[in-house]
């Protein structure tokens, strides 16, 4: 069916209007800029995953494919003007399995993770990510471990298998012990799965802290500008000789050390906004 001449005119006018509105919204509306940036961020990652899938498929499902994903994602921070500064990378144990635990603020954590990700290290992710189109398939090919958090029995079984994999295949795993994204500028209480895993395998825990994004990113305020983020690798915490009974105290001790560093690096001008501790609590309030 052919369009009559008037229809082409309308389509052309709509296109011109769109070309006029997009730059106007970009420069005049911080909220619009936020949504444009987040849409491009997610779309670009899906596109990069499409490019990565054929390369990763040569090996099949293999943790070494994580190097390919890391290489393809390292440039994304430059697109957004985000400077990532890594400190303490020498704390990674050189030749043994371990469990990495890190705070979880938003999908932008991916930028800090790729900057510091050690060799043969894969994240533990919620099972829903597996169905996230090309990104899910690329993650599966890279050996990402998927857990159904709604089925506790399955999650425990997977963690037991992971403990064996750590020891037999020299693999490291990256866990976000808060369990979900936390946008309030602090840290949620830690879930204990990562600590049970480390104790069961008798491998060290390596805490990693990413500074607050509040000076350049805030979902509630629909704000996304350029800025700096510091990633701090803390000394490994040994678990040799510990038992499941020691896990609660271990989790609390690691969280306390991470929260202390989080406050420090989020107020030193190298990432994050200025915060004060709430009286009697563990959260922070932005000035």
């Amino acid at each position: 069916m052919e369009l009559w001449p008037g229809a082409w005119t309308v389509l052309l006018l709509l296109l011109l209007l769109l070309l006029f509105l997009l730059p106007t919204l970009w420069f005049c509306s911080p909220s619009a800029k936020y949504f444009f940036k987040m849409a491009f961020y997610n779309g670009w990652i899906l596109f990069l995953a499409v490019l990565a899938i054929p390369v990763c498929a040569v090996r099949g499902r293999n943790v070494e494919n994580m190097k390919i994903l890391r290489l393809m994602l390292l440039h994304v921070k430059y697109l957004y003007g985000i400077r990532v500064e890594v400190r303490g990378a020498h704390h990674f144990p050189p030749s043994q399995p371990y469990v990495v635990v890190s705070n979880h603020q938003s999908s932008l954590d991916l930028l800090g993770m790729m900057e510091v990700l050690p060799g043969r290290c894969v994240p533990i992710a919620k099972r829903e990510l597996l169905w996230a189109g090309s990104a899910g398939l690329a993650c599966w090919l890279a050996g990402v471990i998927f857990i159904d958090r709604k089925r506790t029995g399955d999650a425990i079984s997977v963690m037991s298998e992971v403990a064996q994999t750590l020891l037999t295949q020299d693999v490291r795993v990256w866990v976000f012990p808060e369990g979900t994204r936390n946008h309030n500028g602090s840290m949620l209480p830690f879930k204990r799965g990562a600590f049970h895993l480390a104790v069961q395998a008798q491998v060290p825990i390596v805490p990693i802290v990413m500074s607050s994004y509040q000076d350049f990113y805030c979902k509630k305020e629909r704000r996304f500008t350029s800025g700096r983020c510091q990633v701090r690798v803390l000394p490994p915490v040994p678990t040799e000789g510990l038992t499941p009974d020691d896990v609660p105290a271990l989790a609390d001790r690691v969280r306390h050390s991470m929260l202390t560093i989080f406050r420090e690096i989020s107020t030193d001008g190298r990432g994050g906004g200025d915060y004060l501790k709430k009286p009697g609590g563990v959260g922070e309030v932005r000035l």
Side-chain angles (χ1 to χ4, degrees):
M1 185 173 103
E2 295 185 1
L3 293 175
W4 48 283
W8 285 113
T9 303
V10 172
L11 288 175
L12 181 59
L13 289 174
L14 289 175
L15 178 60
L16 291 173
L17 180 62
L18 183 63
L19 292 176
F20 171 77
L21 283 177
L22 287 179
T24 302
L25 288 172
W26 178 266
F27 289 108
C28 298
S29 173
S31 294
K33 183 179 291 189
Y34 168 86
F35 285 113
F36 289 154
K37 283 189 171 184
M38 291 307 299
F40 179 79
Y41 178 79
N42 293 310
W44 187 243
I45 287 174
L46 290 173
F47 173 71
L48 292 174
V50 170
L51 299 181
I53 286 171
V55 183
C56 294
V58 173
R59 284 197 187 103
R61 180 167 163 83
N62 192 309
V63 296
E64 292 295 330
N65 283 331
M66 187 58 69
K67 293 179 180 178
I68 297 172
L69 299 191
R70 180 175 182 265
L71 182 64
M72 299 189 75
L73 290 167
L74 278 173
H75 73 281
V76 176
K77 61 181 181 291
Y78 299 115
L79 300 179
Y80 287 87
I82 297 174
R83 178 181 174 183
V84 182
E85 177 184 350
V86 177
R87 294 187 182 181
H90 62 279
H91 288 307
F92 283 120
S95 59
Q96 69 176 109
Y98 47 84
V99 175
V100 173
V101 294
S102 175
N103 57 317
H104 193 15
Q105 300 179 74
S106 80
S107 59
L108 298 183
D109 294 338
L110 185 64
L111 305 182
M113 177 192 289
M114 293 300 105
E115 197 72 18
V116 75
L117 189 75
R120 297 190 62 79
C121 182
V122 294
I124 293 180
K126 58 183 181 181
R127 189 168 182 81
E128 291 84 347
L129 178 61
L130 183 58
W131 314 117
S134 58
L137 179 54
C139 287
W140 182 84
L141 287 169
V144 171
I145 300 163
F146 298 99
I147 290 182
D148 188 346
R149 295 180 297 181
K150 297 178 181 178
R151 302 177 65 178
T152 306
D154 288 351
I156 293 174
S157 175
V158 170
M159 293 299 263
S160 297
E161 293 176 8
V162 171
Q164 293 299 317
T165 302
L166 282 173
L167 300 174
T168 59
Q169 299 184 29
D170 187 31
V171 172
R172 294 94 183 174
V173 296
W174 186 300
V175 184
F176 295 106
E178 291 171 278
T180 189
R181 298 172 187 174
N182 176 26
H183 302 285
N184 71 2
S186 183
M187 288 187 194
L188 298 173
F190 282 1
K191 299 181 183 300
R192 296 171 181 170
F195 303 93
H196 278 290
L197 171 61
V199 168
Q200 182 176 344
Q202 293 286 282
V203 298
I205 295 169
V206 179
I208 294 182
V209 183
M210 300 185 198
S211 64
S212 173
Y213 305 153
Q214 291 282 348
D215 70 331
F216 64 87
Y217 173 86
C218 180
K219 182 178 181 180
K220 185 177 180 180
E221 298 175 7
R222 302 291 188 262
R223 176 171 47 81
F224 191 178
T225 62
S226 59
R228 287 199 258 183
C229 170
Q230 184 180 140
V231 180
R232 182 79 65 87
V233 183
L234 306 188
V237 179
T239 63
E240 291 89 344
L242 298 185
T243 69
D245 292 336
D246 299 310
V247 165
L250 175 65
D252 290 342
R253 177 159 51 95
V254 171
R255 181 181 181 275
H256 180 268
S257 66
M258 291 175 64
L259 188 56
T260 299
I261 296 299
F262 177 81
R263 290 170 177 152
E264 175 188 324
I265 65 178
S266 295
T267 58
D268 67 357
R270 293 184 177 275
D274 295 327
Y275 292 86
L276 288 179
K277 183 178 177 182
K278 292 179 182 177
V282 297
E284 289 82 25
V285 181
R286 190 173 184 186
L287 292 174

